[in-house]
């Protein structure tokens, strides 16, 4: 194992169940996660010295696998090559949620947290100009549709890392078939397989605001994301039933 550096990263997706997965992993004695969930070393803090990154993991024992769960890693254009440079043998986990639901969830998350003042229709219309402006804030906070285009993001990783180092899962399965998915994750990481003793916590979930979104906006999102859904089905063999 790489001394005091992560053996695995959960790279995304935002609003895809990564906080719930973190709660699961924190219960496993062979896994060490830092106190702060999102370290952002390969996205917001690449200029920090390596010792700054290592300091997040100083509580890990020699027997523990170290992990870093930062969902922005999947979407950030430079994260994959930065990760490859520092952690060439790292294992990567991506949770992919129904892209329409993920888009809406990110929008309402931004609204609740004060990152977004526009209504959903205007926010979606403004996305390309906001991201085109080069604003790193908008890239992180206003990338609703863009973050749901999973194929382009995963291609960056698949061009750099071997296929057997990347585990791609459907977020919904983590919640609906938790034991099966948790076993798959543990085997992928090479830790002792533990059986769940309590239900998966639904951490960081919204307030069901997406249920109020008009069918017109949902239809628009489905049209925008149809090629993503088809591509995921062709490449990874799962979809979201629409």
């Amino acid at each position: 194992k790489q001394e005091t550096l992560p053996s695995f990263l959960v790279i995304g997706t935002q609003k895809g169940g990564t906080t719930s997965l973190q709660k699961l992993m924190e219960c496993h004695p062979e896994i060490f996660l830092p106190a702060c969930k999102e370290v952002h070393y390969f996205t917001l803090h690449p200029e920090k010295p390596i010792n700054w990154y290592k300091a997040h993991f100083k509580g890990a024992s020699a027997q523990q696998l170290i992990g870093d769960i930062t969902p922005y890693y999947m979407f950030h254009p430079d994260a994959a090559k930065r990760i490859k440079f520092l952690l060439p043998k790292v294992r990567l986990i991506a949770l992919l949620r129904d892209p329409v639901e993920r888009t809406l969830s990110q929008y309402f998350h931004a609204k609740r947290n004060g990152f977004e003042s526009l209504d959903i229709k205007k926010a979606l219309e403004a996305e390309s100009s906001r991201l085109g402006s080069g604003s790193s804030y908008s890239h992180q906070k206003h990338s609703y549709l863009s973050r749901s285009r999973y194929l382009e993001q995963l291609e960056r990783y698949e061009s750099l890392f071997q296929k057997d180092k990347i585990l791609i899962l459907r977020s919904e399965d983590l919640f609906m078939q938790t034991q099966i998915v948790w076993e798959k994750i543990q085997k992928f990481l090479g830790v002792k397989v533990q059986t769940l003793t309590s239900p998966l916590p639904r951490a960081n979930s919204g307030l069901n605001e997406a249920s109020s979104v008009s069918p017109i906006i949902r239809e628009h999102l489905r049209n925008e994301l149809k090629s993503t859904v088809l591509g995921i089905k062709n490449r990874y063999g799962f979809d979201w039933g629409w």
Side-chain angles (χ1 to χ4, degrees):
K1 118 177 157 65
Q2 288 146 321
E3 191 201 354
T4 68
L5 280 171
S7 298
F8 74 90
L9 304 174
V10 178
I11 57 172
T13 183
Q14 187 195 21
K15 308 310 295 175
T18 57
T19 308
S20 294
L21 178 56
Q22 178 200 8
K23 302 285 181 211
L24 259 187
M25 289 181 159
E26 282 172 348
C27 297
H28 199 296
E30 290 175 39
I31 292 175
F32 178 88
L33 294 171
C36 74
K37 180 192 163 205
E38 301 183 19
V39 181
H40 280 292
Y41 181 62
F42 301 103
T43 48
L44 306 182
H45 306 297
E47 78 298 336
K48 299 265 192 198
I50 185 68
N51 286 340
W52 177 88
Y53 190 41
K54 285 182 175 180
H56 287 83
F57 314 113
K58 62 177 185 287
S61 75
Q63 289 74 44
Q64 286 179 305
L65 274 192
I66 292 171
D68 169 6
I69 300 178
T70 305
Y72 193 25
Y73 288 164
M74 191 166 123
F75 184 57
H76 194 286
D78 300 318
K81 57 180 186 281
R82 289 169 180 165
I83 291 165
K84 178 68 177 175
F85 179 75
L86 184 66
L87 306 170
K89 295 190 168 74
V90 76
R91 291 180 184 273
L92 304 160
I93 298 172
L95 291 169
L96 305 184
R97 181 180 181 181
D98 178 317
V100 169
E101 298 306 323
R102 197 221 65 81
T103 300
L104 295 171
S105 185
Q106 184 187 344
Y107 167 77
F108 287 111
H109 173 85
K111 196 87 172 145
R112 277 195 310 276
N113 287 282
F115 309 142
E116 182 58 85
S117 57
L118 301 178
D119 68 39
I120 178 101
K121 186 170 182 290
K122 287 197 169 69
L124 292 170
E125 286 166 357
E127 181 173 336
S128 58
S129 60
R130 281 167 153 182
L131 271 59
S133 73
S135 157
S136 54
Y137 182 82
S138 276
H139 189 269
Q140 189 181 0
K141 306 294 189 192
H142 302 141
S143 43
Y144 310 118
L145 261 171
S146 306
R147 280 209 201 209
S148 294
R149 300 189 199 283
Y150 302 136
L151 291 170
E152 297 89 327
Q153 300 168 57
L154 293 169
E155 272 161 12
R156 285 198 287 266
Y157 283 90
E158 292 182 335
S159 68
L160 294 171
F161 294 90
Q162 288 174 289
K163 216 167 177 153
D164 64 353
K165 297 285 190 191
I166 308 173
L167 181 62
I168 294 164
L169 301 164
R170 207 174 72 124
S171 298
E172 291 79 2
D173 294 337
L174 178 66
F175 293 97
M176 296 188 296
Q177 302 174 13
T178 308
Q179 183 59 47
I180 294 168
V181 173
W182 180 221
E183 277 185 23
K184 199 181 278 189
I185 290 167
Q186 292 173 95
K187 285 174 181 166
F188 174 71
L189 295 177
V191 295
K192 189 167 184 282
V193 174
Q194 290 203 326
T195 306
L196 283 176
T197 52
S198 56
L200 178 68
R202 285 192 171 260
N204 200 26
S205 57
L207 307 170
N208 199 31
E209 302 102 323
S211 60
S212 65
V213 169
S214 80
I216 294 164
I217 286 179
R218 282 183 176 274
E219 192 56 31
H220 165 69
L221 293 176
R222 282 193 174 199
N223 288 332
E224 286 286 330
L225 295 164
K226 197 175 283 178
S227 61
T228 294
V229 171
L230 287 172
I232 294 293
K233 172 81 171 166
N234 290 337
R235 197 183 295 180
Y236 307 114
F238 63 81
D239 63 15
W240 292 273
W242 50 274

